[in-house]
Amino acid sequence: MSRDRDVRNAVQTALIATNAFDPDAVWVWGLPEDYGTAASLTAAAAIVPQSSRQEDLWDAAPAGGLVITSRVGLILLYRHEDPQLRDEGAELLLDTAANALNGQSFGGLVFPQTARIGQWDWQPVTVPERRIIAIYSYQYDVEGWDNYDTTP
C-alpha cells in the first residue's frame, strides 16, 4: 500500500540516480537555504508536498477502495553566472526530472499512467540562480476507507 512519504522518497531516489544534481543536493523537504547550503552548489532540488485528494470511484462505499491523487512540488535550482546557460541548465533539470519520473510506478507505489510532471513555472532570477517549480502528480489506491498505512 502506498503512502505519500514513500512516493516522495522514491522521487528523491530517482532524481539522485540521474546524476544531474550535485551530490547530497536532492532534499525531501525545504528549500536549499533551509539546509544552510553553500552557494557553490550548481544543481539542486527540493521535493515539497503540495496537496492530496481522495475519491471514491467505486460503488462499494464505504467498503470499497479510495483513489488518492497527490501533487508534489519539485523546486529545481540551477546556478550559473551566464544568464543563457543559467536558463538552459534549469530547463535541462526540468527535462531530466520529467524523463526520470513520468510514467514510473516506483515498484507499484503509484499508477504509472497518472504519474507525470504536468505543470511548471519559471521563478524570477536571483543572480546567479534560476528556479523552476514543477508539479509532479500521481495517483494510488487505498483498499477500504479505513485502511490507510499507519506503520512508521
Side-chain angles (χ1 to χ4, degrees):
M1 176 176 312
S2 297
R3 299 178 295 191
D4 285 322
R5 62 183 164 205
D6 297 327
V7 177
R8 289 192 305 273
N9 289 332
V11 167
Q12 180 188 36
T13 299
L15 293 179
I16 290 170
T18 68
N19 293 316
F21 300 91
D22 290 351
D24 300 320
V26 179
W27 305 285
V28 290
W29 70 269
L31 299 170
E33 52 268 20
D34 297 331
Y35 291 87
T37 303
S40 62
L41 279 179
T42 302
I47 303 159
V48 182
Q50 291 210 328
S51 66
S52 294
R53 182 182 73 236
Q54 64 181 14
E55 301 173 89
D56 174 18
L57 301 179
W58 298 277
D59 292 333
L66 296 169
V67 171
I68 309 297
T69 302
S70 294
R71 294 167 37 103
V72 173
L74 304 175
I75 302 171
L76 307 170
L77 174 147
Y78 192 81
R79 291 184 177 128
H80 200 283
E81 289 296 329
D82 182 284
Q84 181 177 351
L85 295 177
R86 178 187 313 127
D87 285 354
E88 289 174 0
E91 185 175 20
L92 182 60
L93 291 180
L94 172 66
D95 293 343
T96 300
N99 286 342
L101 303 176
N102 289 355
Q104 297 299 314
S105 72
F106 298 122
L109 287 176
V110 302
F111 302 138
Q113 66 272 26
T114 67
R116 66 183 168 277
I117 293 176
Q119 174 184 337
W120 54 93
D121 295 305
W122 291 78
Q123 303 302 296
V125 171
T126 304
V127 177
E129 178 180 297
R130 171 68 94 168
R131 293 182 184 192
I132 296 174
I133 299 177
I135 305 301
Y136 173 68
S137 60
Y138 56 90
Q139 291 182 323
Y140 61 92
D141 66 336
V142 175
E143 297 176 11
W145 285 28
D146 60 353
N147 197 27
Y148 286 90
D149 188 344
T150 58
T151 57

